[in-house]
Amino acid sequence: HKEYRQQRQMCIRDSIKGDAYLGMGEQENARASYEIALESLSPGSFAYDFTKMKFEQINEINEDEESQS
């Protein structure tokens, strides 16, 4: 139980770091943080789905910026 709690706390930390990076306009760092969080979360859980949604939004933003270049 202790290991699970530590892992969950790390996932939450990585997701929050991703949010902070995104707020600062550092999309690549945000993407990396979300990706790390996704590796530790269980697919199908709310936290996984929510983090994956944010991760995919960053990918869409990057694709839009690349197509406008």
Side-chain angles (χ1 to χ4, degrees):
H1 183 69
K2 183 179 178 181
E3 292 86 17
Y4 173 78
R5 190 171 75 226
Q6 287 176 327
Q7 183 181 20
R8 180 157 172 75
Q9 288 171 341
M10 289 171 49
C11 294
I12 292 168
R13 181 203 65 206
D14 291 328
S15 182
I16 290 171
K17 282 173 61 176
D19 294 344
Y21 282 130
L22 193 56
M24 294 185 296
E26 298 181 21
Q27 293 177 357
E28 282 305 310
N29 287 332
R31 185 180 179 283
S33 293
Y34 291 143
E35 193 167 24
I36 291 168
L38 285 170
E39 290 172 0
S40 303
L41 292 167
S42 299
S45 69
F46 173 78
Y48 180 91
D49 293 343
F50 190 67
T51 303
K52 185 172 181 177
M53 178 191 69
K54 293 189 279 187
F55 178 77
E56 290 172 349
Q57 286 176 339
I58 290 174
N59 289 337
E60 290 174 11
I61 290 168
N62 288 340
E63 289 172 4
D64 288 344
E65 288 177 352
E66 288 174 5
S67 67
Q68 292 177 1
S69 299

